[in-house]
Amino acid sequence: MANKYKELMRESAANEAQALAAAKEQKASAKAPEKKEPVKKETKEEKTQKEKPVKKKNLGGRPKNADRGLACRKQYTLTLEEDTYQTFLNMAREEKLSFAKFMEKAAFEYIENNK
């Protein structure tokens, strides 16, 4: 009896293996090779026509002088001895100006007086 059971199991496994193999063959033959179409490259003119005007994103912060139509200020470095710097700084504070504005004013006054 045990031999019959083993024999039935072997036959069932063999039948199942054949059925799976046949199913795989049918799937493989059913799939026809697809032809891929080449990707069409768009010209620059076509791209610009497709693009929609994009709103400028507000990045926040203070607007730049150039954006507001103003001339940009330039930065410079001035090397002074400590006591000279303190003298100029104290004079700027007396006139209630920043150090940079005081130096700018002094330079313009010098130019005006020495023309």
Side-chain angles (χ1 to χ4, degrees):
M1 182 116 170
N3 287 339
K4 282 187 180 182
Y5 179 72
K6 286 182 181 179
E7 215 173 288
L8 286 174
M9 290 297 285
R10 284 186 189 138
E11 286 177 20
S12 173
N15 289 339
E16 195 171 328
Q18 286 177 351
L20 285 173
K24 282 184 183 179
E25 286 179 21
Q26 285 178 352
K27 276 187 181 180
S29 63
K31 286 186 183 177
E34 297 177 15
K35 293 183 180 178
K36 294 185 179 180
E37 294 181 19
V39 178
K40 181 182 175 185
K41 292 187 178 181
E42 297 177 359
T43 62
K44 289 182 181 179
E45 294 171 357
E46 291 174 350
K47 286 183 182 180
T48 54
Q49 290 174 356
K50 287 183 181 180
E51 292 177 4
K52 295 179 182 177
V54 179
K55 286 186 178 180
K56 257 190 168 179
K57 190 175 182 181
N58 183 1
L59 301 176
R62 182 182 297 177
K64 302 206 180 307
N65 286 339
D67 295 341
R68 296 187 295 166
L70 301 174
C72 294
R73 296 178 62 85
K74 300 295 180 187
Q75 192 172 10
Y76 66 94
T77 302
L78 182 63
T79 306
L80 301 171
E81 293 181 7
E82 184 66 31
D83 58 338
T84 307
Y85 171 75
Q86 286 301 323
T87 303
F88 290 154
L89 186 60
N90 290 335
M91 292 172 74
R93 287 181 182 158
E94 288 173 8
E95 295 185 28
K96 296 185 180 174
L97 294 172
S98 68
F99 181 77
K101 289 291 182 186
F102 176 77
M103 295 305 288
E104 184 178 1
K105 180 182 170 190
F108 280 127
E109 285 178 6
Y110 178 82
I111 292 169
E112 286 294 318
N113 293 336
N114 293 311
K115 275 189 176 181

Short mmCIF file of all heavy atoms in Angstrom, two decimals, residues 27-64:
data_model
loop_
_atom_site.label_atom_id
_atom_site.label_comp_id
_atom_site.label_asym_id
_atom_site.label_seq_id
_atom_site.Cartn_x
_atom_site.Cartn_y
_atom_site.Cartn_z
N LYS A 27 3.76 30.86 -22.49
CA LYS A 27 4.02 32.27 -22.13
C LYS A 27 5.13 32.84 -22.99
O LYS A 27 5.04 33.96 -23.48
CB LYS A 27 4.40 32.41 -20.66
CG LYS A 27 3.25 32.47 -19.72
CD LYS A 27 3.75 32.79 -18.32
CE LYS A 27 2.63 32.84 -17.32
NZ LYS A 27 3.11 33.16 -15.98
N ALA A 28 6.19 32.08 -23.15
CA ALA A 28 7.34 32.54 -23.93
C ALA A 28 6.95 32.76 -25.39
O ALA A 28 7.37 33.73 -26.02
CB ALA A 28 8.49 31.56 -23.82
N SER A 29 6.13 31.86 -25.95
CA SER A 29 5.75 32.01 -27.35
C SER A 29 4.68 33.10 -27.51
O SER A 29 4.57 33.71 -28.57
CB SER A 29 5.24 30.68 -27.91
OG SER A 29 4.06 30.29 -27.21
N ALA A 30 3.90 33.36 -26.49
CA ALA A 30 2.86 34.39 -26.57
C ALA A 30 3.47 35.79 -26.56
O ALA A 30 2.92 36.71 -27.15
CB ALA A 30 1.89 34.25 -25.41
N LYS A 31 4.58 35.93 -25.95
CA LYS A 31 5.25 37.24 -25.90
C LYS A 31 6.00 37.46 -27.20
O LYS A 31 7.03 36.85 -27.46
CB LYS A 31 6.25 37.33 -24.74
CG LYS A 31 5.61 37.46 -23.39
CD LYS A 31 6.68 37.68 -22.34
CE LYS A 31 6.08 37.76 -20.96
NZ LYS A 31 7.10 37.91 -19.93
N ALA A 32 5.47 38.36 -28.00
CA ALA A 32 6.17 38.70 -29.24
C ALA A 32 7.16 39.80 -28.91
O ALA A 32 6.87 40.69 -28.11
CB ALA A 32 5.18 39.18 -30.29
N PRO A 33 8.31 39.76 -29.52
CA PRO A 33 9.28 40.82 -29.22
C PRO A 33 8.72 42.16 -29.67
O PRO A 33 8.28 42.32 -30.81
CB PRO A 33 10.53 40.43 -30.02
CG PRO A 33 10.05 39.42 -31.02
CD PRO A 33 8.81 38.81 -30.47
N GLU A 34 8.71 43.11 -28.75
CA GLU A 34 8.18 44.44 -29.04
C GLU A 34 9.27 45.31 -29.63
O GLU A 34 10.40 45.31 -29.14
CB GLU A 34 7.65 45.07 -27.75
CG GLU A 34 6.50 44.31 -27.15
CD GLU A 34 6.05 44.94 -25.84
OE1 GLU A 34 6.43 46.09 -25.57
OE2 GLU A 34 5.32 44.28 -25.10
N LYS A 35 8.89 46.05 -30.64
CA LYS A 35 9.85 46.97 -31.24
C LYS A 35 9.76 48.29 -30.50
O LYS A 35 8.69 48.87 -30.38
CB LYS A 35 9.55 47.18 -32.72
CG LYS A 35 9.77 45.95 -33.56
CD LYS A 35 9.52 46.24 -35.01
CE LYS A 35 9.75 45.00 -35.86
NZ LYS A 35 9.46 45.28 -37.27
N LYS A 36 10.88 48.73 -30.03
CA LYS A 36 10.92 50.01 -29.32
C LYS A 36 11.14 51.12 -30.33
O LYS A 36 12.02 51.04 -31.18
CB LYS A 36 12.04 50.03 -28.28
CG LYS A 36 11.81 49.06 -27.15
CD LYS A 36 12.87 49.21 -26.10
CE LYS A 36 12.64 48.26 -24.95
NZ LYS A 36 13.68 48.39 -23.94
N GLU A 37 10.31 52.16 -30.20
CA GLU A 37 10.47 53.29 -31.09
C GLU A 37 11.57 54.19 -30.56
O GLU A 37 11.66 54.40 -29.35
CB GLU A 37 9.15 54.07 -31.17
CG GLU A 37 8.03 53.26 -31.82
CD GLU A 37 6.76 54.07 -31.91
OE1 GLU A 37 6.83 55.31 -31.81
OE2 GLU A 37 5.70 53.45 -32.06
N PRO A 38 12.37 54.74 -31.44
CA PRO A 38 13.43 55.63 -30.96
C PRO A 38 12.82 56.89 -30.34
O PRO A 38 11.78 57.38 -30.78
CB PRO A 38 14.23 55.97 -32.22
CG PRO A 38 13.30 55.67 -33.36
CD PRO A 38 12.36 54.61 -32.88
N VAL A 39 13.47 57.38 -29.32
CA VAL A 39 13.01 58.56 -28.63
C VAL A 39 13.24 59.78 -29.51
O VAL A 39 14.35 60.00 -30.01
CB VAL A 39 13.75 58.74 -27.28
CG1 VAL A 39 13.30 60.00 -26.59
CG2 VAL A 39 13.50 57.53 -26.41
N LYS A 40 12.19 60.56 -29.69
CA LYS A 40 12.29 61.74 -30.54
C LYS A 40 12.86 62.88 -29.71
O LYS A 40 12.32 63.22 -28.66
CB LYS A 40 10.91 62.11 -31.07
CG LYS A 40 10.93 63.32 -31.97
CD LYS A 40 9.53 63.68 -32.43
CE LYS A 40 9.55 64.95 -33.22
NZ LYS A 40 8.20 65.40 -33.58
N LYS A 41 13.93 63.44 -30.20
CA LYS A 41 14.55 64.57 -29.51
C LYS A 41 13.90 65.86 -29.98
O LYS A 41 13.73 66.07 -31.18
CB LYS A 41 16.05 64.62 -29.76
CG LYS A 41 16.79 63.47 -29.14
CD LYS A 41 18.27 63.64 -29.25
CE LYS A 41 18.99 62.50 -28.57
NZ LYS A 41 20.43 62.65 -28.65
N GLU A 42 13.52 66.68 -29.00
CA GLU A 42 12.87 67.94 -29.32
C GLU A 42 13.91 69.02 -29.59
O GLU A 42 14.96 69.05 -28.95
CB GLU A 42 11.98 68.39 -28.17
CG GLU A 42 10.85 67.42 -27.89
CD GLU A 42 10.03 67.84 -26.69
OE1 GLU A 42 10.36 68.87 -26.08
OE2 GLU A 42 9.08 67.14 -26.38
N THR A 43 13.61 69.89 -30.50
CA THR A 43 14.52 70.99 -30.77
C THR A 43 14.32 72.07 -29.71
O THR A 43 13.34 72.05 -28.96
CB THR A 43 14.24 71.60 -32.16
OG1 THR A 43 12.92 72.12 -32.18
CG2 THR A 43 14.41 70.57 -33.26
N LYS A 44 15.23 73.00 -29.68
CA LYS A 44 15.15 74.07 -28.68
C LYS A 44 13.90 74.92 -28.89
O LYS A 44 13.28 75.37 -27.93
CB LYS A 44 16.39 74.96 -28.75
CG LYS A 44 17.63 74.28 -28.23
CD LYS A 44 18.81 75.21 -28.27
CE LYS A 44 20.07 74.50 -27.78
NZ LYS A 44 21.24 75.37 -27.82
N GLU A 45 13.51 75.09 -30.16
CA GLU A 45 12.33 75.89 -30.46
C GLU A 45 11.07 75.24 -29.90
O GLU A 45 10.21 75.90 -29.35
CB GLU A 45 12.20 76.09 -31.97
CG GLU A 45 13.31 76.91 -32.57
CD GLU A 45 13.28 76.90 -34.09
OE1 GLU A 45 12.42 76.21 -34.68
OE2 GLU A 45 14.12 77.61 -34.68
N GLU A 46 10.98 73.92 -30.04
CA GLU A 46 9.83 73.20 -29.52
C GLU A 46 9.77 73.28 -28.01
O GLU A 46 8.71 73.40 -27.42
CB GLU A 46 9.86 71.74 -29.97
CG GLU A 46 9.63 71.56 -31.46
CD GLU A 46 9.80 70.12 -31.91
OE1 GLU A 46 10.29 69.29 -31.11
OE2 GLU A 46 9.46 69.81 -33.06
N LYS A 47 10.92 73.20 -27.36
CA LYS A 47 10.97 73.27 -25.90
C LYS A 47 10.51 74.63 -25.41
O LYS A 47 9.77 74.74 -24.45
CB LYS A 47 12.38 72.97 -25.39
CG LYS A 47 12.76 71.52 -25.47
CD LYS A 47 14.12 71.29 -24.89
CE LYS A 47 14.53 69.83 -25.01
NZ LYS A 47 15.85 69.59 -24.46
N THR A 48 10.97 75.69 -26.06
CA THR A 48 10.59 77.03 -25.62
C THR A 48 9.11 77.28 -25.84
O THR A 48 8.49 78.02 -25.07
CB THR A 48 11.41 78.12 -26.34
OG1 THR A 48 11.28 77.94 -27.75
CG2 THR A 48 12.86 78.06 -25.94
N GLN A 49 8.53 76.67 -26.87
CA GLN A 49 7.11 76.84 -27.10
C GLN A 49 6.29 76.14 -26.03
O GLN A 49 5.24 76.61 -25.63
CB GLN A 49 6.74 76.30 -28.48
CG GLN A 49 7.27 77.14 -29.62
CD GLN A 49 7.01 76.50 -30.97
OE1 GLN A 49 6.50 75.38 -31.04
NE2 GLN A 49 7.38 77.18 -32.03
N LYS A 50 6.78 75.01 -25.56
CA LYS A 50 6.06 74.24 -24.54
C LYS A 50 6.15 74.86 -23.16
O LYS A 50 5.25 74.72 -22.35
CB LYS A 50 6.59 72.80 -24.48
CG LYS A 50 6.19 71.96 -25.66
CD LYS A 50 6.69 70.55 -25.47
CE LYS A 50 6.32 69.68 -26.65
NZ LYS A 50 6.81 68.30 -26.47
N GLU A 51 7.28 75.51 -22.87
CA GLU A 51 7.49 76.06 -21.53
C GLU A 51 6.51 77.18 -21.25
O GLU A 51 6.26 78.04 -22.07
CB GLU A 51 8.93 76.59 -21.39
CG GLU A 51 9.96 75.51 -21.41
CD GLU A 51 11.37 76.07 -21.33
OE1 GLU A 51 11.51 77.29 -21.19
OE2 GLU A 51 12.30 75.28 -21.43
N LYS A 52 5.94 77.14 -20.08
CA LYS A 52 5.02 78.18 -19.66
C LYS A 52 5.80 79.17 -18.82
O LYS A 52 6.75 78.81 -18.14
CB LYS A 52 3.89 77.58 -18.82
CG LYS A 52 3.01 76.63 -19.61
CD LYS A 52 1.94 76.05 -18.74
CE LYS A 52 1.08 75.08 -19.52
NZ LYS A 52 0.07 74.45 -18.68
N PRO A 53 5.38 80.42 -18.85
CA PRO A 53 6.08 81.40 -18.01
C PRO A 53 5.93 81.01 -16.53
O PRO A 53 4.83 80.72 -16.07
CB PRO A 53 5.40 82.72 -18.32
CG PRO A 53 4.15 82.39 -19.05
CD PRO A 53 4.31 81.01 -19.60
N VAL A 54 7.04 80.99 -15.85
CA VAL A 54 7.05 80.58 -14.45
C VAL A 54 7.18 81.83 -13.58
O VAL A 54 7.99 82.70 -13.85
CB VAL A 54 8.24 79.62 -14.19
CG1 VAL A 54 8.27 79.20 -12.74
CG2 VAL A 54 8.14 78.40 -15.09
N LYS A 55 6.36 81.89 -12.57
CA LYS A 55 6.45 83.00 -11.63
C LYS A 55 7.73 82.87 -10.85
O LYS A 55 8.13 81.78 -10.46
CB LYS A 55 5.27 83.00 -10.66
CG LYS A 55 3.98 83.44 -11.27
CD LYS A 55 2.92 83.54 -10.19
CE LYS A 55 1.61 84.03 -10.75
NZ LYS A 55 0.58 84.12 -9.70
N LYS A 56 8.36 84.02 -10.60
CA LYS A 56 9.57 84.00 -9.78
C LYS A 56 9.17 83.72 -8.35
O LYS A 56 8.26 84.35 -7.81
CB LYS A 56 10.28 85.34 -9.86
CG LYS A 56 11.47 85.36 -10.73
CD LYS A 56 12.25 86.63 -10.55
CE LYS A 56 13.59 86.53 -11.20
NZ LYS A 56 14.36 87.74 -11.05
N LYS A 57 9.85 82.79 -7.75
CA LYS A 57 9.57 82.43 -6.38
C LYS A 57 10.17 83.49 -5.46
O LYS A 57 11.30 83.92 -5.65
CB LYS A 57 10.18 81.06 -6.08
CG LYS A 57 9.76 80.48 -4.78
CD LYS A 57 10.30 79.07 -4.64
CE LYS A 57 9.85 78.46 -3.35
NZ LYS A 57 10.38 77.11 -3.20
N ASN A 58 9.41 83.91 -4.49
CA ASN A 58 9.90 84.90 -3.53
C ASN A 58 10.83 84.18 -2.56
O ASN A 58 10.39 83.35 -1.77
CB ASN A 58 8.74 85.55 -2.78
CG ASN A 58 9.21 86.63 -1.83
OD1 ASN A 58 10.40 86.91 -1.74
ND2 ASN A 58 8.28 87.24 -1.13
N LEU A 59 12.10 84.50 -2.64
CA LEU A 59 13.08 83.84 -1.80
C LEU A 59 13.18 84.51 -0.44
O LEU A 59 13.90 84.04 0.43
CB LEU A 59 14.45 83.83 -2.48
CG LEU A 59 14.47 83.11 -3.84
CD1 LEU A 59 15.84 83.24 -4.47
CD2 LEU A 59 14.08 81.67 -3.69
N GLY A 60 12.51 85.62 -0.26
CA GLY A 60 12.54 86.32 1.01
C GLY A 60 13.80 87.14 1.14
O GLY A 60 14.65 87.19 0.26
N GLY A 61 13.91 87.84 2.21
CA GLY A 61 15.09 88.67 2.44
C GLY A 61 14.97 90.02 1.76
O GLY A 61 13.98 90.34 1.10
N ARG A 62 15.96 90.82 1.95
CA ARG A 62 15.99 92.16 1.39
C ARG A 62 16.30 92.09 -0.10
O ARG A 62 17.19 91.36 -0.50
CB ARG A 62 17.06 92.97 2.12
CG ARG A 62 17.15 94.41 1.66
CD ARG A 62 18.23 95.13 2.37
NE ARG A 62 17.94 95.19 3.79
CZ ARG A 62 18.76 95.73 4.69
NH1 ARG A 62 19.91 96.23 4.30
NH2 ARG A 62 18.45 95.75 5.93
N PRO A 63 15.58 92.89 -0.93
CA PRO A 63 15.90 92.89 -2.36
C PRO A 63 17.27 93.50 -2.61
O PRO A 63 17.70 94.41 -1.91
CB PRO A 63 14.80 93.73 -2.99
CG PRO A 63 14.16 94.47 -1.89
CD PRO A 63 14.46 93.75 -0.61
N LYS A 64 17.94 93.00 -3.60
CA LYS A 64 19.27 93.49 -3.93
C LYS A 64 19.16 94.87 -4.58
O LYS A 64 18.16 95.21 -5.20
CB LYS A 64 19.97 92.53 -4.87
CG LYS A 64 20.08 91.12 -4.29
CD LYS A 64 21.23 90.40 -4.89
CE LYS A 64 21.40 89.01 -4.37
NZ LYS A 64 21.47 88.82 -2.99
#
